[in-house]
Amino acid sequence: MSANRDNGHKKPAVRHHYVPKALLRPWLVGEQQKELIAFWWNPHRKQLDCKRSGLNSFGYEKHLLSLGSGQVAPDALEKVFFGNVDDRGCKVRDKIVGQNRLSLNGDERTDFARLLLSLESRRPENVVKLRASAETMRRDLDSDPKIIAALAAHGFDMKPSEFTENVLNHSIDDGALLIIQRLVDNPNPVGSKLINMRWQIRHLGDRDGKLILSDRPLVRIGGIEDPSATWAIPLTPTCAFIATASVEVANRVRRSTGQRFCKLLNVSSAGQADRFAFTVNEADAHWLGRYLKRPLSKVSDS
């Protein structure tokens, strides 16, 4: 990743997206297709609430991926790295949606796999863990008597963490955050296994129902080493992508009725949502609360 320090003299982006707008766009409703219907559990009122707003209101956190060392633009992860991942991956998404039988070349499979992997790596919960690991590393370095003594013996009058950052030419915090790139691009073991799973698409009929999308879009059932591992993501309210590790599971998905497939994927999507579930059908409110309900400590009011 590289980016101009001053970002072309433009103000750095503040909103950093963990759900690309392009993935949310198919769920826009209304005459002008500019509004999302988002259900979420309000723990203070102990009920399901609905928020209707545009694309700019969801799937981001301010400064989620901001870098601070000054070696690259503070929004380089958002604008440069994930900008490329999203652009290339969503072009493949568009191609998949337009197909009845999945047909992608090697580069397209790689681009789409990178998009799927990125959805987990940049989740706010996981970014918080990476930032916390930097604090732990700094604390451990600065409290290690052997490292402190070694630096003093060589005439360095600085904390071990400061010495480390000088050597690395970036802050420990940025180093921890930049691990995200390796999580997305490292071909082993998850990336290669995902690319080599059995990929298929599923289009729903008029009577099968409509798929929801959560703000944690990728549904993963089983670990990547699980022989029955299944990854799925709704691409539109009537189309989903599925990757399976086994022929048996792939065949079960293919043979399931549209209604059953829609129900199972919707339940999985709602059950793992970080907060919001997006739908094109307000009647989904009658079942969503059961799966979106969260403890007060895990949900903040809107």
Side-chain angles (χ1 to χ4, degrees), residues 40 46 54 117 131 139 152 162 209 225 281 286:
W40 64 288
K46 297 182 180 180
L117 292 170
R131 292 192 184 277
R139 184 171 58 250
E162 294 171 346
E225 300 294 342
N281 184 3
H286 81 276

Side-chain angles (χ1 to χ4, degrees), residues 7-256:
N7 201 20
H9 301 292
K10 296 179 180 179
K11 292 183 65 175
V14 172
R15 296 184 177 196
H16 296 178
H17 295 82
Y18 55 92
V19 182
K21 288 183 180 181
L23 290 186
L24 291 169
R25 191 165 284 115
W27 276 263
L28 289 170
V29 298
E31 292 184 5
Q32 297 182 326
Q33 300 286 290
K34 290 185 176 181
E35 189 175 62
L36 289 166
I37 301 173
F39 284 104
W40 64 288
W41 182 258
N42 187 327
H44 303 289
R45 299 171 62 183
K46 297 182 180 180
Q47 68 178 38
L48 191 71
D49 276 355
C50 182
K51 179 179 179 179
R52 299 183 68 120
S53 192
L55 284 174
N56 290 332
S57 298
F58 302 100
Y60 76 90
E61 279 196 8
K62 290 184 177 180
H63 300 294
L64 175 67
L65 302 166
S66 289
L67 302 171
S69 65
Q71 300 304 311
V72 296
D75 60 353
L77 272 176
E78 163 71 7
K79 301 292 285 187
V80 180
F81 181 72
F82 284 117
N84 176 268
V85 169
D86 293 347
D87 288 346
R88 296 173 68 93
C90 288
K91 285 179 181 177
V92 180
R93 187 280 309 269
D94 292 343
K95 181 175 181 177
I96 292 173
V97 171
Q99 295 180 334
N100 289 318
R101 186 178 181 85
L102 194 64
S103 177
L104 301 174
N105 62 36
D107 288 342
E108 290 168 334
R109 287 177 77 94
T110 297
D111 287 342
F112 195 64
R114 290 177 77 224
L115 175 64
L116 297 185
L117 292 170
S118 80
L119 296 175
E120 281 297 297
S121 67
R122 57 178 146 166
R123 280 182 62 217
E125 177 180 309
N126 292 330
V127 174
V128 167
K129 290 177 181 178
L130 286 174
R131 292 192 184 277
S133 71
E135 290 302 314
T136 300
M137 180 182 292
R138 179 178 286 104
R139 184 171 58 250
D140 290 346
L141 285 170
D142 291 342
S143 62
D144 190 314
K146 292 183 179 180
I147 297 177
I148 294 171
L151 287 176
H154 287 82
F156 290 103
D157 184 20
M158 61 177 64
K159 293 180 178 180
S161 60
E162 294 171 346
F163 177 81
T164 301
E165 290 174 333
N166 286 338
V167 172
L168 294 175
N169 202 31
H170 60 65
S171 70
I172 291 174
D173 303 82
D174 285 2
L177 203 55
L178 290 171
I179 290 173
I180 288 178
Q181 293 180 105
R182 295 202 295 273
L183 295 175
V184 174
D185 284 334
N186 188 349
N188 293 308
V190 178
S192 61
K193 288 184 179 294
L194 172 59
I195 289 173
N196 290 300
M197 288 169 77
R198 291 159 178 82
W199 289 19
Q200 60 178 294
I201 50 177
R202 185 69 185 261
H203 292 279
L204 299 181
D206 293 339
R207 298 183 179 181
D208 294 334
K210 294 291 190 291
L211 296 168
I212 69 166
L213 183 78
S214 83
D215 54 1
R216 187 181 179 185
L218 179 64
V219 173
R220 298 189 300 174
I221 301 172
I224 197 67
E225 300 294 342
D226 189 329
S228 60
T230 302
W231 289 30
I233 182 171
L235 303 180
T236 76
T238 59
C239 176
F241 164 86
I242 312 99
T244 55
S246 75
V247 175
E248 292 77 15
V249 175
N251 288 337
R252 284 205 301 271
V253 172
R254 195 173 291 111
R255 290 194 300 264
S256 65

Side-chain angles (χ1 to χ4, degrees), residues 238-298:
T238 59
C239 176
F241 164 86
I242 312 99
T244 55
S246 75
V247 175
E248 292 77 15
V249 175
N251 288 337
R252 284 205 301 271
V253 172
R254 195 173 291 111
R255 290 194 300 264
S256 65
T257 66
Q259 289 183 351
R260 178 167 175 76
F261 175 82
C262 181
K263 180 178 179 180
L264 290 176
L265 184 52
N266 278 349
V267 167
S268 294
S269 293
Q272 71 165 30
D274 284 326
R275 187 181 188 194
F276 291 110
F278 306 98
T279 178
V280 295
N281 184 3
E282 288 189 345
D284 285 335
H286 81 276
W287 65 269
L288 276 171
R290 191 182 326 158
Y291 299 98
L292 292 177
K293 190 173 182 179
R294 299 288 190 273
L296 181 62
S297 61
K298 293 187 177 182

